[in-house]
Amino acid sequence: MTGAILIDAGHFREVWRQKHAPRFEDTGTPRNHVPPSSAVLTTVTAIHETVGRRFPGVPIRWLRTYYYDSEPFSERKVDPHGVQHDFSSGEPYANSMRLLEELRRADHMAVRLGKTKFSDWKIGKSNRYSPVFRQKGVDMKIGLDIAWMATKRIVDILILVTNDTDFVAPMKLARTEGVVVGIYCITAKPASLLHEHADLVILAEIARS
């Protein structure tokens, strides 16, 4: 049996930020929004082991893990107060680029990138503006890769790390092609539609690095 893992990085990073990100002592807000590559790689190892236990006696050859993300926004923007922000400088940008580069160098890991687009400014505490970004093309790449691997019979089992119901349609296609589709759920519970259209749902945590 051949398997592949598809990680929705936006989902992974948000869960990591909520549960594991180091925080400022005075405010309790996350000090770093980007997980270390070890958190991703250790979670991949946990998926290998957990799924293997679901199929005792059936060896699984893991083709690779696909990590779907976007490079961080790197342009300059001026907020409504007239303050210029250089998004290519500072720790958040450096941490994001470091994560992607380390994953690119990891064994059996493919990094698939969409685009990060600036959307708007939102005003927060102390009347300060913060940017709103949107990822473009990431969901499409995940859906197309699910369809490609299923229809070409490249894999027998697909494990998705996501909680996005936009992937229900490609999941259903993969199942009609005979592929076993699983959800590795790192939230409190999976979306009901994902649970309905998956062959197996594994409730787990992001593995601590």
Side-chain angles (χ1 to χ4, degrees):
M1 179 182 287
T2 300
I5 299 167
L6 289 75
I7 299 177
D8 176 357
H11 172 63
F12 188 95
R13 287 189 285 103
E14 178 59 23
V15 174
W16 183 86
R17 184 187 70 82
Q18 293 176 4
K19 295 185 176 182
H20 301 307
R23 298 179 180 274
F24 292 105
E25 292 184 4
D26 54 343
T27 63
T29 57
R31 197 166 64 237
N32 178 11
H33 291 239
V34 182
S37 59
S38 57
V40 179
L41 298 175
T42 307
T43 299
V44 170
T45 299
I47 293 172
H48 290 173
E49 295 172 351
T50 305
V51 174
R53 289 194 292 270
R54 292 291 187 98
F55 296 91
V58 180
I60 301 175
R61 181 180 73 88
W62 292 100
L63 179 65
R64 66 180 58 89
T65 297
Y66 296 85
Y67 185 83
Y68 300 84
D69 205 353
S70 295
E71 287 192 352
F73 189 76
S74 60
E75 299 177 19
R76 291 181 173 89
K77 291 289 181 180
V78 178
D79 70 23
H81 285 322
V83 178
Q84 180 171 275
H85 300 260
D86 181 0
F87 293 103
S88 66
S89 64
E91 191 174 357
Y93 180 86
N95 288 340
S96 294
M97 293 300 290
R98 183 183 305 113
L99 170 63
L100 295 176
E101 184 56 33
E102 289 176 355
L103 292 180
R104 286 188 183 102
R105 296 198 303 264
D107 293 342
H108 304 288
M109 176 74 69
V111 175
R112 303 271 279 140
L113 297 178
K115 297 289 185 182
T116 300
K117 299 289 186 181
F118 175 83
S119 178
D120 203 352
W121 296 99
K122 66 177 180 180
I123 193 163
K125 296 179 180 179
S126 303
N127 201 35
R128 297 181 63 179
Y129 283 95
S130 58
V132 177
F133 298 117
R134 295 283 185 266
Q135 286 189 341
K136 300 292 185 180
V138 175
D139 287 1
M140 181 179 67
K141 288 180 184 291
I142 296 174
L144 288 174
D145 282 353
I146 293 172
W148 162 66
M149 284 187 274
T151 57
K152 297 296 185 181
R153 296 311 308 265
I154 292 170
V155 296
D156 304 295
I157 181 170
L158 283 170
I159 303 297
L160 280 67
V161 182
T162 188
N163 203 35
D164 191 339
T165 57
D166 286 348
F167 302 127
V168 165
M171 287 169 61
K172 291 169 69 175
L173 170 64
R175 294 178 76 195
T176 62
E177 293 290 332
V179 175
V180 175
V181 178
I183 297 293
Y184 192 81
C185 181
I186 55 176
T187 57
K189 63 178 182 179
S192 58
L193 274 177
L194 293 180
H195 204 297
E196 177 183 350
H197 294 288
D199 294 299
L200 67 155
V201 174
I202 299 169
L203 302 179
E205 293 280 342
I206 290 178
R208 293 185 177 276
S209 57

